[in-house]
Amino acid sequence: DTAVSQTPKYLVTQMGNDKSIKCEQNLGHDTMYWYKQDSKKFLKIMFSYNNKELIINETVPNRFSPKSPDKAHLNLHINSLELGDSAVYFCASSPLAAREDTQYFGPGTRLTVL
Amino acid sequence: SQKIEQNSEALNIQEGKTATLTCNYTNYSPAYLQWYRQDPGRGPVFLLLIRENEKEKRKERLKVTFDTTLKQSLFHITASQPADSATYLCAYYNQGGKLIFGQGTELSVKP
């Protein structure tokens, strides 16, 4: 049983295009996250939703727009892709948004912008 | 600013030895520290959580310590195996509720 799934696994696209990454969790968790992992392997939070409400919105260009249609899904839409957007994007979920919460990560989406 | 530092250099050890990974943090005193494992091409997987009032936590061959005076956590894998080869990340939630990660230490266990 897949706990946190993301599609697609790989995404190769041209600069200037718009693309979306989808995420679903079947753990019944209330909170979902998007992270970006750059080439230096740093994992940085981008957004967090709790029960479909945005609770964390890091300093991310407005070209990135998350959408949570329900608490099991969190999608990431990126407009006007740039070379610097190339990275691995991870979706994650946790039961609540508490400081003891462990997070469950998806397999990642490797985005390459040419 | 808040920072977590882990050994950026890879750690190479022989099978059967104990691997010790270090996590140092500055400018914040987290109540909990977490350790994750990340394999190439995969997402991080949670391993252990330690609270500030716990000096040590164990799970099978894994042991984590938390020294709030030194602002340091140590992660030990005893009787290491090649299957333990991975990148290990430490993390804590900051006061804004964000999980902050170190850059990870890559461990390679040679047979």
Side-chain angles (χ1 to χ4, degrees), chain B residues 74-88:
Chain B
L74 297 179
F75 179 84
H76 306 271
I77 306 176
T78 56
S80 59
Q81 302 165 2
D84 296 325
S85 298
T87 297
Y88 292 86

Side-chain angles (χ1 to χ4, degrees), chain A residues 9 33 35 37 40-45 56 58 90 94 97-108 110, chain B residues 4 28 32 34 36 38 41-46 49 51 89 93-104:
Chain A
K9 175 87 173 149
Y33 310 82
Y35 286 86
Q37 189 169 43
K40 292 182 182 174
K41 305 295 185 189
F42 269 106
L43 201 56
K44 287 186 184 166
I45 189 157
I56 292 174
E58 275 298 82
F90 288 100
S94 66
R99 294 185 193 188
E100 276 198 75
D101 269 4
T102 59
Q103 295 192 10
Y104 296 76
F105 285 81
R110 181 174 292 277
Chain B
I4 297 184
Y28 184 65
Y32 313 94
Q34 302 187 24
Y36 289 77
Q38 186 173 21
R42 300 194 150 198
V45 174
F46 170 75
L49 178 148
R51 296 173 176 78
L89 306 162
Y93 280 97
N94 69 5
Q95 66 270 44
K98 298 169 197 167
L99 192 61
I100 309 295
F101 282 88
Q103 76 272 38

